[in-house]
Structures are given as C-alpha cells and as structure tokens.
C-alpha cells in the first residue's frame, strides 16, 4: 500500500464515543471508511467484500474480550482488528492480543492518535494474521495445559510434573513445565532440580521476552522437559505480574509443543493471563465432599469469566480409595463428566520423595499409564506429531520463525 492511498477501514460494534470516531475518520484524508455494522455476525459478507484493510470494533465491555464478535470478524476477514472501548480496559490488552486482536484503543482518543494506530496495524498486519476459527490457537503453536484445583494436596504438582516428563520422554516433544504456584511452588523439588534460575529471574530481566531469552532461563530436566521454577522466596511472587506471565506463555507457545502450568489452589493475579492462553484446563478433584464443593464454586467462577466449558477436563485423582464418593455422585454434583481418572498409586509417594517424576520412577505404574493416556488424548499420541521430532533438541534457541507477536 502506498503512503498516499487512504487506508480502508470497516467499523463494527458499538460503544460510547464510537459515533464520533466514525465521524472524524470519515473526514480524514488518510482513511476511507468502507462500511459500518453494529453486529459483526450479520455483516460478515459485507465485510468480506469491502476490501477493508483494518477493522475497528467497538465494545462497551472493557472488562473482557468479546470473543463471539472477534470470532465472527476473524471468520470474515484477515485484516488486522483493533478493539475500541470506552470501558475500564485494565487487563484487557493481554487477553485481546492472545485472541488475535491487534491492538486495543481506549476512547476518547485524538483522531491523529487513532489514525496512527490504524496505520501501525496495517504495517504489522502484513504477514501476521492468526485467523481464529473453532479454537483460538493456531495448529502450529504449542498447547497450554493448566492444572488447577481449589484444593491443596490433590495431586496438581504430581500430575503436572508427570505430564511434562511423559510428553518429553516418551512422546519426544518439546515440553515446558511452568510453576505458577508462585509462593509455594514445588515443581523443582518434585523433579529433583536445583532452582538456579526461576520465573522471578526471567520476569525481572529487562527488554523484550523472546524465545532466545526464554531458552536462557529454563532448566533442563533429564526427561527432556524444560522447567521454569517458582520463585525461591515467596515474597518475590508479587513481582511476577500478569502481563509478564502472559508474555512468557505466548513466547513458550512458539517454542514448545506443550506447556504444562502448575498452579496454587486459588485464583491469583496471573490466573486470567493463564486462563486466556489455556487450551486444556485440568480441574483436579478428589472424591471427598469439601473438594467437590470447592470444585463446583470454581466451575461457577470459570463460567462467570466466560471460560469455554469444552476446555475444562475434570480429573479424578486417587480414585478408588475406600470410603470415598463414587464417580457418578461427583459427576452428578458437578454436572460435569469425569474426563480422566488417575488411580491411587503406591509408587507415587516414594517418587515424590526421591524427586523423580512418576513416569521415570515407575514407568509401569497405574499412574504412568493413566497420565500417558491423558496426554495422548489431550495432545495427540506420539505418532500424531512424529514429524515434529526432528526439531526437538536441535538447539536451545530454536524458535518457530516468523511468528512475531506484539508485546503484551
Ligand atoms: N495418584 C496418586 N497416588 C498416590 N499418591 C498421590 C497421588 N496423587 C498425589 N499423591 C500424593 O499427594 C501428595 C500431594 O500432591 P501434590 O501434587 O503436591 O498436590 P497439590 O499440588 O495439589 O497440592 C503427593 O506428595 C503424593 O504423595
Ligand atoms: Mg502443588
């Protein structure tokens, strides 16, 4: 596009101040407003035919990414999308960028500033547009699996470490285990690794996070998995911001096939950034009433956050212990089917105490086979991505080229 031809902009949605934006852009020499529509779902054809180079979408909700509208727009055009809002948009940017939105603009805004943003989007948009279809992530990016439970001691960390080791060791794929139990994380200790560098060091570095930088901060585990441990001092947890975690996960998705995130038993500042990028949420429950009650509350919270239900997988850990509720009672109480059942396994305790992930300590154990089955179902079996093996371990700084993403 030459400097002189006006940029074709399509405006959708509605929010306070959007009419003024439309008015001022339509009289601006550098901009040609090629169409407007309140409801993007109804305007898909018009939008596709408009030749729009940029889409401005107004949303009155500053607190969340309007996923339905974003998906509809993404289905209609590959043009960069700028989200415009008049609401309080604190925290919106990271989620919006993860959803494939190019930029977020808070109204009111000087027309010149808005035109600058539009122009910037067209420049950056050349060659970098991630269409969002059924899922939000592209097939070439790694998948984020987040292990969560509102209860401590249910086996989140055991499972996260086992999955990381299993994926790297048996499936031969690049796996990263990130310990976001920032205050009391014990991924490093369970994997028998000295936390020489932690997530704290990683987020305190200056400058842009990229795959090379990440590679310099991860710790290599004998299984082949890499690890980002939790801070050594609990007080350092506070400095690990949501924005930094979001960026860390975005970069990790470029460099790894699977990112396993371990979490504390509560929602923390970094939770939203994590959820925004989570492809599979493993909600771990035991078969006791207090846990089930808290899992139910968690499901309600996830619902309020508009977290897609089809990404939630209920995992029953230590199933089959005497005196417990049974599976169907739990399913009924939660109105959710159990996706995976991990048996109680007597090998686990000694594996934990030796600092060896269960698939390595006890490859033939019930837990190992349940974890293997779970990873295969969630991420595809070893054969499913055999073509990717060649890339693994080909160099610490290896990245997927050309997937530049804006800093969150
Ligand atoms: N399937 C299992 N079989 C036997 N013991 C288990 C199993 N899962 C977890 N455990 C035990 O439970 C303890 C707590 O697990 P952990 O992963 O630290 O929980 P969380 O991270 O949820 O707080 C572990 O040290 C381990 O001994
Ligand atoms: Mg834990």
């Amino acid at each position: 596009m030459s400097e002189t031809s006006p940029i074709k902009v399509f405006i959708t949605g509605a929010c306070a101040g959007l009419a003024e934006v439309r008015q001022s852009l339509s009289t601006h020499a550098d901009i040609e407003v090629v169409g407007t529509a309140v409801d993007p779902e109804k305007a898909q054809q018009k939008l596709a035919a408009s030749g729009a180079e940029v889409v401005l979408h107004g949303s009155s909700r500053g607190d969340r990414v309007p996923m339905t509208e974003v998906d509809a727009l993404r289905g209609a055009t590959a043009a960069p999308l700028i989200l415009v809002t008049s609401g309080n948009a604190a925290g919106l940017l990271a989620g919006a960028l993860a959803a494939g939105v190019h930029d977020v603009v808070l109204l009111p805004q000087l027309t010149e500033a808005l035109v600058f943003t539009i122009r910037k989007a067209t420049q950056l948009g050349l060659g970098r547009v991630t269409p969002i279809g059924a899922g939000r992530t592209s097939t070439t990016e790694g998948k984020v699996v987040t292990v969560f439970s509102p209860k401590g001691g249910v086996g989140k960390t055991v499972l996260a470490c086992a999955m990381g080791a299993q994926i790297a060791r048996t499936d031969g794929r690049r796996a990263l285990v990130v310990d976001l139990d920032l205050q009391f994380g014990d991924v490093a200790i369970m994997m028998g690794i000295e936390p020489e560098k932690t997530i704290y060091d990683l987020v305190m570095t200056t400058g842009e996070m990229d795959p090379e930088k990440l590679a310099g901060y991860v710790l290599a585990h004998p299984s082949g998995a890499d690890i980002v441990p939790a801070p050594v001092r609990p007080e350092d947890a506070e400095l690990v911001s949501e924005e930094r975690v979001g960026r860390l996960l975005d970069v990790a998705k470029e460099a790894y096939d699977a990112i396993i995130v371990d979490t504390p038993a509560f929602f923390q500042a970094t939770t939203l950034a994590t959820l925004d990028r989570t492809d599979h949420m493993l909600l771990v429950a035991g078969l006791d009433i207090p846990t089930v009650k808290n899992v139910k509350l968690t499901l309600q919270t996830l619902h309020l956050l508009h977290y897609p239900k089809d990404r939630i997988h209920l995992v029953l850990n230590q199933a089959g212990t005497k005196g417990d509720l049974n599976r169907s009672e739990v399913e009924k109480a939660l109105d959710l089917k159990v996706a995976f059942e991990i048996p109680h396994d007597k090998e686990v305790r000694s594996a934990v105490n030796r600092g060896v992930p269960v698939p390595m300590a006890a490859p033939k154990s019930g837990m190992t086979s349940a974890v293997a089955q779970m990873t295969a179902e969630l991420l595809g079996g070893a054969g499913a991505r055999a073509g990717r093996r060649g890339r693994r371990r080909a160099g610490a700084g290896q990245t997927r080229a050309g997937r530049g993403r804006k800093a969150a």
Side-chain angles (χ1 to χ4, degrees):
M1 182 193 62
S2 85
E3 281 292 303
T4 47
S5 62
I7 301 168
K8 295 188 170 71
V9 176
F10 200 106
I11 302 175
T12 61
C15 69
L18 194 67
E20 290 77 6
V21 164
R22 188 162 48 219
Q23 176 63 31
S24 53
L25 288 182
S26 57
T27 56
H28 197 285
D30 294 353
I31 303 289
E32 180 189 349
V33 177
V34 292
T36 59
V38 174
D39 184 349
E41 283 181 278
K42 291 192 186 133
Q44 281 184 307
Q45 275 192 345
K46 199 171 139 191
L47 174 56
S50 70
E53 292 166 279
V54 173
V55 178
L56 283 191
H57 179 71
S59 170
S60 55
R61 295 287 305 265
D63 56 343
R64 66 178 185 90
V65 182
M67 281 314 300
T68 311
E69 288 84 353
V70 169
D71 283 345
L73 293 168
R74 278 281 153 261
T77 174
L81 171 60
I82 299 174
L83 199 59
V84 181
T85 184
S86 51
N88 169 16
L92 185 64
L93 184 63
L97 294 180
V101 169
H102 233 86
D103 219 333
V104 176
V105 170
L106 260 185
L107 297 181
Q109 195 67 246
L110 291 175
T111 306
E112 280 314 316
L114 192 56
V115 171
F116 176 82
T117 303
I118 291 169
R119 187 173 289 127
K120 193 175 72 176
T122 64
Q123 301 292 316
L124 295 173
L126 300 170
R128 182 246 170 257
V129 175
T130 317
I132 302 166
R136 240 160 64 193
T137 50
S138 86
T139 49
T140 54
E141 280 186 330
K143 295 280 181 255
V144 176
V145 179
T146 300
V147 186
F148 182 78
S149 176
K151 197 77 183 192
V154 292
K156 293 183 288 294
T157 306
V158 168
L159 287 173
C161 296
M163 285 184 84
Q166 175 68 21
I167 295 163
R169 186 174 149 275
T170 319
D171 299 351
R173 289 183 272 173
R174 289 179 59 86
L176 178 70
V177 182
V178 181
D179 195 346
L180 286 185
D181 185 352
L182 296 171
Q183 289 192 314
F184 303 112
D186 34 32
V187 167
I189 202 166
M190 269 200 208
M191 294 193 83
I193 286 262
E194 187 65 35
E196 292 153 23
K197 295 173 203 162
T198 73
I199 193 169
Y200 173 76
D201 305 297
L202 180 58
V203 301
M204 292 314 279
T205 58
T206 51
E208 176 78 351
M209 172 92 74
D210 58 26
E212 283 74 22
K213 179 169 277 179
L214 177 60
Y217 279 88
V218 300
L219 304 178
H221 184 264
S223 62
D226 287 338
I227 300 172
V228 177
V232 177
R233 288 177 301 270
E235 62 269 28
D236 290 343
E238 274 173 35
L239 296 162
V240 180
S241 70
E242 173 174 16
E243 191 199 343
R244 287 296 188 126
V245 166
R247 182 68 190 145
L248 161 64
L249 294 176
D250 286 341
V251 169
K253 284 168 84 119
E254 293 177 32
Y256 290 89
D257 297 311
I259 301 103
I260 315 296
V261 180
D262 191 21
T263 62
F266 50 87
F267 281 6
Q268 60 187 358
T270 58
T271 303
L272 285 182
T274 310
L275 286 180
D276 272 337
R277 290 160 180 83
T278 296
D279 299 285
H280 300 292
M281 156 115 170
L282 299 183
L283 190 52
V284 187
L287 290 165
D288 58 289
I289 292 194
T291 306
V292 171
K293 179 206 103 193
N294 291 333
V295 167
K296 194 164 178 74
L297 292 175
T298 302
L299 287 169
Q300 284 166 2
T301 307
L302 290 170
H303 179 69
L304 290 174
L305 292 170
H306 301 278
Y307 188 78
K309 200 174 172 184
D310 59 1
R311 292 189 196 167
I312 303 173
H313 311 272
L314 183 60
V315 179
L316 277 190
N317 189 25
Q318 310 215 45
T321 317
K322 260 212 236 132
D324 277 342
L325 298 171
N326 67 37
R327 174 175 172 148
S328 61
E329 286 171 315
V330 172
E331 289 179 331
K332 199 162 159 234
L334 296 176
D335 189 23
L336 186 66
K337 289 272 175 232
V338 171
F340 304 105
E341 209 172 296
I342 315 283
H344 173 80
D345 191 326
K346 59 182 179 1
E347 308 272 5
V348 173
R349 185 181 282 272
S350 92
V352 166
N353 287 332
R354 283 186 289 142
V356 181
V358 179
M360 296 174 83
K364 297 210 159 55
S365 64
M367 179 184 258
T368 299
S369 64
V371 165
Q373 195 182 335
M374 183 163 75
T375 53
E377 269 188 47
L378 292 175
L379 304 165
R385 294 218 219 163
R388 296 180 138 212
R389 268 183 212 187
R391 286 190 346 186
R392 191 180 159 253
R393 300 273 148 219
Q398 189 176 13
T399 71
R400 271 165 219 178
R403 299 202 49 83
R405 201 185 257 268
K406 259 186 64 176

